Amino acid sequence: MNIISIRIKSYKYFLYSLFYFARKNKQLAKNYYLLSLTNQGTRNFSLENKLDNFYSKKDKKIKIAVSGWELSHNAAGRAITLAELYHYAGFNDVEMIGSIINSKSKQARKIWQPLLSHHIPVNYFSIGRNDIDAIVSKTMEFVVQNPYDIVHLSKPRITNIVIGLMYKLIWGSTVIIDIDDEELAFGTSNINHLKGTDDSLKENIRDVFWTKKAIQLIENFDLVSVSNPALQKKYGGFIIPHVRNENIFVPSDNRKNSIRKKFNIPVDKIVVIFFGTPKRHKGIIETAKVLAALNDDRILYTIVGDFQDKSLKHELESISGINICFLPNQRFDEAADIVSMGDICILLQEKNNDISKYQLPAKLVDALGMGLKIFIQKTEATANLSEGSQIEFVDLDNLEYCLKNYLENEHGKGNEILSQREYFLENFSMSSAVDDINYIIKNYEDKNNMSGVNYENITHYSKLNLFSLIRKYGF
């Protein structure tokens, strides 16, 4: 957009602001005035004083947003967990925010299905995959219209980083960055190969180049939260695991039999369940081959989730000697019911894969909450788990033996369900993570730094592009 178009847009917003101010709708008047400034408009100090007086009379309560860097796919799952945790801790004014990144060559992306049916409101903006020059202005327009006291960024990707910086600069918000994956491992086989300078700018927002820049900007935020000890060792911060609401994740035979009936799964089958996005690094091919080697007709490998890689599904279908049931994506809020179908959860993550190395699978917590037997590969992220009767560390070499031993000697006895429930409640329930939320709130209250909109920063940063912004913060 050229400078003339920007100025016309700014003038239009300013006229709207005056119009709504005259009609005593000061909420809209302020929104349009701020939009005028984001498009390089000129400040009007008289109008600012009148609008600020209006805002200072409003009742104050803590407004919280959890931001997902991309809300069109399962990366939003962690954002949902964090938003639900704030809500569980007693903060009702919680929203999920973020962006949807579109490709010009494809149909516009839609919001991820589980978000559509979720009880927590979702507010987002769209941006083109190659709109690097527009990311600052579009983010700023969103931020000025949606003030929050606390913003928790889920995943250090460039869209989220810009959102977080804008909230600190414009509203003085307390901003926390949450890390639940090694983001640099996505999209490249060697996370150390990028040695580009600022002159080698990439045009694609999703490019690993920008992810590297995003991670280098983490230190600009108030707090860092991570999902497991491996990430804490690398990035610092405090741990908020993938937690689940213990009032919803309650196992029972009646629940199991009811959901199996819904999906036509016989109650006498031994269901090995995978609930999530089927991907190769998660070891589902290896798991299927081990199950086939057991040659046990009682076993039904149930994979719940749509395949992004169709060749992966075809490869599974080609494995002989195993019964596999494929079910499509299910609603996020039905996770407890879906997992309750299972008897066994096998998490054979690739040990040396950079994604698996730093990832605590959410499926692990689902299985813990619903009382399943868990066989899991030990990685840096899972090494701190307490191995007990219901959690057993395995690898590809001994999985078949461990499964056979369990099926012959332990399955169906239910001797250790109570101890597993206690372990879940103490470590992975939402009640166990409330203190982490209270820590965030105390950090906010100690700083008490959200005193109103910063008009000067809006006028200054509205003139910057993404490159200028990140260079200002340490490059």
Side-chain angles (χ1 to χ4, degrees):
M1 188 179 292
N2 60 45
I3 189 64
I4 295 176
S5 299
I6 293 173
R7 293 292 168 81
I8 291 173
K9 190 176 180 182
S10 172
Y11 186 62
K12 179 184 70 174
Y13 283 140
F14 183 69
L15 290 178
Y16 281 149
S17 177
L18 294 178
F19 172 78
Y20 284 109
F21 184 80
R23 296 178 70 94
K24 302 188 184 304
N25 188 334
K26 295 185 179 180
Q27 177 76 61
L28 281 177
K30 182 147 191 172
N31 283 350
Y32 279 114
Y33 176 66
L34 295 178
L35 285 172
S36 171
L37 295 184
T38 65
N39 287 275
Q40 303 182 27
T42 303
R43 292 181 65 182
N44 185 304
F45 294 97
S46 175
L47 183 59
E48 287 176 14
N49 289 333
K50 293 173 183 176
L51 293 172
D52 283 341
N53 289 337
F54 159 69
Y55 268 78
S56 64
K57 296 175 184 177
K58 299 186 71 175
D59 294 333
K60 190 75 178 74
K61 61 179 180 178
I62 299 176
K63 292 188 65 178
I64 299 168
V66 178
S67 179
W69 83 277
E70 164 60 288
L71 298 179
S72 69
H73 55 68
N74 67 338
R78 174 67 171 179
I80 292 177
T81 296
L82 292 172
E84 287 180 342
L85 180 57
Y86 279 104
H87 199 268
Y88 177 97
F91 297 92
N92 295 322
D93 202 351
V94 180
E95 294 183 358
M96 284 181 282
I97 65 171
S99 62
I100 287 182
I101 302 171
N102 291 309
S103 170
K104 291 181 180 179
S105 61
K106 298 180 180 178
Q107 187 177 4
R109 289 175 177 263
K110 297 179 180 179
I111 194 168
W112 191 41
Q113 188 277 331
L115 289 171
L116 294 173
S117 55
H118 205 274
H119 66 94
I120 295 178
V122 182
N123 192 5
Y124 65 95
F125 63 96
S126 296
I127 188 166
R129 184 181 64 186
N130 300 113
D131 287 346
I132 293 295
D133 291 337
I135 188 171
V136 173
S137 60
K138 284 200 171 186
T139 303
M140 186 174 283
E141 286 193 0
F142 177 85
V143 169
V144 298
Q145 295 180 88
N146 299 282
Y148 298 99
D149 301 278
I150 295 172
V151 178
H152 207 143
L153 309 172
S154 173
K155 299 183 184 293
R157 293 294 190 103
I158 196 64
T159 51
N160 249 354
I161 295 299
V162 177
I163 287 172
L165 289 175
M166 288 298 108
Y167 270 106
K168 286 189 69 65
L169 291 168
I170 293 172
W171 293 108
S173 309
T174 293
V175 179
I176 308 96
I177 180 72
D178 180 76
I179 307 171
D180 72 314
D181 280 307
E182 176 47 85
E183 295 298 325
L184 288 174
F186 292 92
T188 177
S189 58
N190 181 359
I191 64 176
N192 298 312
H193 85 285
L194 291 171
K195 299 183 182 296
T197 66
D198 289 334
D199 294 329
S200 61
L201 285 175
K202 306 295 182 180
E203 294 183 355
N204 188 343
I205 290 173
R206 298 176 181 274
D207 197 283
V208 183
F209 175 89
W210 289 113
T211 305
K212 185 177 181 181
K213 294 297 184 188
I215 289 172
Q216 292 171 331
L217 289 165
I218 287 173
E219 63 185 26
N220 289 285
F221 301 113
D222 299 282
L223 296 169
V224 175
S225 61
V226 296
S227 66
N228 64 71
L231 288 170
Q232 185 183 48
K233 184 177 180 180
K234 184 167 186 178
Y235 293 107
F238 61 100
I239 296 176
I240 301 179
H242 294 309
V243 291
R244 295 293 182 260
N245 189 330
E246 66 275 11
N247 300 314
I248 296 173
F249 280 74
V250 181
S252 74
D253 289 337
N254 288 338
R255 190 175 196 175
K256 173 183 287 189
N257 294 338
S258 176
I259 197 70
R260 284 194 180 191
K261 182 178 180 181
K262 176 181 176 181
F263 291 102
N264 296 314
I265 294 176
V267 295
D268 60 345
K269 287 291 185 182
I270 299 173
V271 173
V272 178
I273 194 159
F274 178 96
F275 176 44
T277 305
K279 291 186 177 179
R280 197 168 293 277
H281 75 269
K282 297 179 180 181
I284 58 176
I285 293 293
E286 293 79 3
T287 298
K289 289 179 178 178
V290 170
L291 294 177
L294 290 173
N295 195 27
D296 190 332
D297 287 337
R298 297 174 301 166
I299 294 175
L300 179 64
Y301 193 18
T302 303
I303 298 176
V304 186
D306 292 342
F307 283 77
Q308 298 171 351
D309 180 357
K310 301 302 180 185
S311 67
L312 182 60
K313 185 175 182 180
H314 295 325
E315 193 172 340
L316 281 166
E317 291 171 328
S318 69
I319 299 173
S320 59
I322 181 174
N323 299 313
I324 302 182
C325 172
F326 296 105
L327 296 175
N329 277 348
Q330 302 297 315
R331 285 170 45 144
F332 191 88
D333 57 3
E334 293 179 345
D337 284 334
I338 299 302
V339 176
S340 73
M341 286 192 294
D343 299 291
I344 297 171
C345 175
I346 299 174
L347 299 169
L348 205 61
Q349 310 275 90
E350 294 179 14
K351 190 172 184 178
N352 296 318
N353 180 283
D354 283 321
I355 298 174
S356 302
K357 191 185 300 183
Y358 293 98
Q359 188 178 72
L360 181 75
K363 295 178 289 300
L364 163 71
V365 184
D366 294 337
L368 273 173
M370 296 312 293
L372 276 62
K373 173 69 177 183
I374 299 166
F375 296 94
I376 186 166
Q377 171 96 336
K378 183 178 285 189
T379 65
E380 292 182 37
T382 63
N384 282 37
L385 291 173
S386 177
E387 187 174 22
S389 58
Q390 291 299 103
I391 301 177
E392 189 169 344
F393 285 123
V394 296
D395 55 34
L396 188 56
D397 293 331
N398 68 4
L399 177 59
E400 182 180 347
Y401 169 80
C402 293
L403 277 168
K404 187 177 295 186
N405 181 64
Y406 170 72
L407 293 173
E408 291 176 355
N409 301 309
E410 299 178 45
H411 175 67
K413 295 182 179 179
N415 295 330
E416 308 296 338
I417 297 298
L418 183 59
S419 63
Q420 177 172 335
R421 182 68 179 172
E422 291 172 354
Y423 181 68
F424 164 73
L425 292 174
E426 290 175 5
N427 297 278
F428 296 101
S429 65
M430 287 200 170
S431 61
S432 70
V434 168
D435 285 347
D436 297 314
I437 297 301
N438 292 335
Y439 171 67
I440 293 170
I441 300 301
K442 186 177 186 306
N443 183 275
Y444 160 75
E445 291 175 341
D446 288 347
K447 293 182 177 179
N448 194 25
N449 56 346
M450 188 175 176
S451 57
V453 64
N454 190 317
Y455 297 104
E456 184 176 350
N457 276 349
I458 296 177
T459 55
H460 174 71
Y461 286 95
S462 66
K463 299 178 177 67
L464 301 186
N465 59 23
L466 180 57
F467 174 54
S468 301
L469 179 68
I470 63 174
R471 186 168 58 183
K472 187 176 180 66
Y473 278 87
F475 298 101

